[in-house]
Amino acid sequence: MNATLSESFIRASHVLARVYAGTSLAEFGALEPAVQDLCLGTLRDYGYLDGILSELLQRPITDLEVRALLNCAVREIQRGKANEYAVVNEAVNACMKLGYPAAKGLVNGVLRNYLRHRVEIEARGPQSEAAQWRHPQWWVDTLRAAYPGQWREILAAGNQHPPMSLRINRRRTTVEDYAARLSEIGIEALAQGEVGVALAAPRPVAQLPGFAEGDVSVQDLAAQRAAPLLDLHDGMRVLDACAAPGGKAAHILESADVNLLALDRDPLRAQRIEDNLRRLSLHAEIRVTDAAALGGWWDGKTFDRILLDAPCTASGVVRRHPDIKWLRRVDDIGRFAGQQRALLDSLWRVLSPGGKLLYVTCSVFPAENASQVDAFLSRHADARRMAIADEQLLPNGRHDGFYYALLVKQSG
C-alpha cells in the first residue's frame, strides 16, 4: 500500500503543480483511479488545505510540486484511510523521488507539526472564507451578492462529490425497463422523468448494461432538460451551435427525426461528438467552425430550432471539475459574457421566424445568465422569452447548476 501511495503522491504532485500554474486538469486525459481521486479530492479542498499550510509554514513554498505534495499528504491524513505516520514517510520518499532532496526536511517537519497540532488547528477552524468554503474569495463574494439567501448552499454543493445520472435512449428502451435491468444486477437506481435514471452511487460505464450498445448515456439530470424544451418535431432543421462533447446533440436525435447540424470550434472535442453519436447509432452533420462566424459555415437556410449551449465559466459544475475554481479569474465572467453576446446576436440571424432558440449555460453567475438574456431582449425587438419553470437551476444533491432561457423569434 505504501509503495502505491508514494507513486500516487509523485504522479498527483506532477499534475497538480501544472494545474496550480494554469493548466486544465482535462488536458491530462485519463489518470489512474488512485491518482485521479487524489487530484480531485485535493482540488475540491484546496482552499482549506492551503489554509492549513499557511498556518504551518514560516514562508510560502515556491516549488509548486512540493506545495502540491504537501496538499496531497494533508488531504490523505484527513481521509484517515492510511496510517498517518505512513503517509508522512511516503510523502518524504515522494519528495526525494520528485527531485527535491533539499525539501525533504521541510516536508517531514511540516507534516509532523500538523499531526502534533491537528486537533488544535481543526478546532480553531479555517482562518479565511476562501479556506472555509474551499472557493476563491472573489467567487464567494460574487455568489453572496447574487444569492443572499442561498450562497452557502451553492458553495457547499460545489464541494460535494457529484451525482451520477443516466439518460436512456428512448429509441431502444424505456426508463422502467432499464431501471429493472439495473436492479437485476444489484445497481440501485431511481427513475427520473421519461428518460432519466439517477444512480444511488457512481459506477464505471463498463458496469452499465447496454452502454456499449447505445442503450444509455451518462448525462446530468439538469442537462437533460435541453431537448424537451426545444419542442422538437420530425423533419425540423436543427442547429446545435456548441455541441461538444455531444450529449445534448444525441438527446435531440433520440427525441425526433430531425436534420441536425452540430458545430464546435475545437477539432478534438468535435471528434467526441462523432464518437458519441456512433456508439448510439445516430447521425448528424458535424463541422469544426466558430458558430459566431456565420460566413464560415452558414448556407443561408434558416433553422427551426437552435440550441446554444454557450461557453461559460462552468461555475455550476465545479464539483465535477474542481480545478475550474482555481483556474478562473473574476475577469473571466466578462470575457465569457462577451462570447455569449456575440453568439446570441449571430445565431439569431439564422433562426426562422416562429423558431425557438434555447440559451443554456452550466453557470450560476447572473452576468452569464439572466442578465445576458435581458440585454439580448433589449437589443432584439423581434425576440420574446417563453416562460419555463426554473430558468436557473442551482446545484444540489440531484443535479448540477444550469441556466435555461427559451427565446422565440416573432414573425413580421
Side-chain angles (χ1 to χ4, degrees), residues 20 129 214 224 233 241 273 277 292 339:
Y20 294 170
E129 285 194 318
Q224 292 180 26
H233 300 285
I273 305 172
L277 296 186
Q339 294 177 25

Side-chain angles (χ1 to χ4, degrees), residues 50-324:
D50 226 40
I52 289 175
L53 288 185
S54 68
E55 293 189 54
L56 298 170
L57 293 166
Q58 294 182 343
R59 59 181 182 274
I61 297 175
T62 56
D63 294 316
L64 294 182
E65 285 188 327
V66 175
R67 178 175 159 194
L69 174 61
L70 284 169
N71 287 147
C72 288
V74 172
R75 191 255 179 180
E76 195 64 24
I77 289 171
Q78 291 183 344
R79 289 182 70 200
K81 292 189 175 182
N83 178 276
E84 55 192 24
Y85 287 101
V87 172
V88 175
N89 290 336
E90 292 311 308
V92 172
N93 291 337
C95 183
M96 295 292 290
K97 293 176 182 177
L98 281 167
Y100 296 95
K104 174 182 175 181
L106 172 68
V107 170
N108 183 65
V110 167
L111 293 178
R112 290 183 179 276
N113 194 30
Y114 171 61
L115 291 179
R116 283 193 296 271
H117 298 284
R118 180 180 177 184
V119 173
E120 173 188 339
I121 290 172
E122 294 182 358
R124 186 163 60 245
Q127 300 301 294
S128 69
E129 285 194 318
Q132 177 184 357
W133 294 108
R134 295 158 168 81
H135 284 72
Q137 187 63 51
W138 70 264
W139 197 302
V140 176
D141 295 339
T142 301
L143 290 181
R144 180 163 40 211
Y147 305 96
Q150 299 163 294
W151 64 276
R152 296 175 182 85
E153 289 79 6
I154 299 171
L155 292 169
N159 296 325
Q160 296 170 354
H161 286 267
M164 183 174 180
S165 299
L166 311 176
R167 184 194 73 247
I168 60 100
N169 183 349
R170 62 195 307 172
R171 295 182 180 271
R172 298 178 60 95
T173 186
T174 65
V175 165
E176 293 76 19
D177 288 345
Y178 195 78
R181 291 169 68 183
L182 291 175
S183 180
E184 288 173 2
I185 59 175
I187 297 180
E188 185 180 350
L190 183 64
Q192 300 285 325
E194 294 185 2
V195 297
V197 178
L199 301 185
R203 298 274 182 156
V205 294
Q207 296 180 13
L208 301 176
F211 180 84
E213 294 76 20
D215 292 353
V216 67
S217 299
V218 177
Q219 188 178 43
D220 185 74
L221 292 176
Q224 292 180 26
R225 296 188 71 202
L229 284 172
L230 283 167
D231 184 29
L232 300 161
H233 300 285
D234 292 350
M236 281 184 167
R237 180 172 159 87
V238 181
L239 172 66
D240 187 347
C242 302
K248 296 181 183 68
H251 194 183
I252 288 170
L253 293 168
E254 291 167 358
S255 302
D257 292 320
V258 302
N259 298 311
L260 178 65
L261 173 61
L263 309 179
D264 202 272
R265 63 190 303 173
D266 186 322
L268 294 178
R269 286 173 55 79
Q271 182 61 49
R272 293 183 63 190
I273 305 172
E274 185 174 338
D275 295 342
N276 280 323
L277 296 186
R278 183 184 303 112
R279 180 180 63 83
L280 296 163
S281 300
L282 300 169
H283 174 74
E285 181 183 355
I286 302 170
R287 298 184 64 176
V288 178
T289 186
D290 181 356
L294 301 184
W297 63 269
W298 188 40
D299 61 3
K301 298 177 182 179
T302 57
F303 294 87
D304 303 299
R305 299 287 187 269
I306 297 177
L307 171 62
L308 173 53
D309 190 357
C312 68
T313 57
S315 52
V317 296
V318 291
R319 58 188 174 188
R320 298 187 188 277
H321 309 285
D323 55 321
I324 288 173

Side-chain angles (χ1 to χ4, degrees), residues 340-342 344-345 371-372 374-382:
Q340 294 152 7
R341 173 179 174 138
L344 277 166
D345 287 344
S371 297
Q372 181 72 262
D374 288 343
F376 172 81
L377 291 169
S378 72
R379 296 193 303 273
H380 296 270
D382 59 346

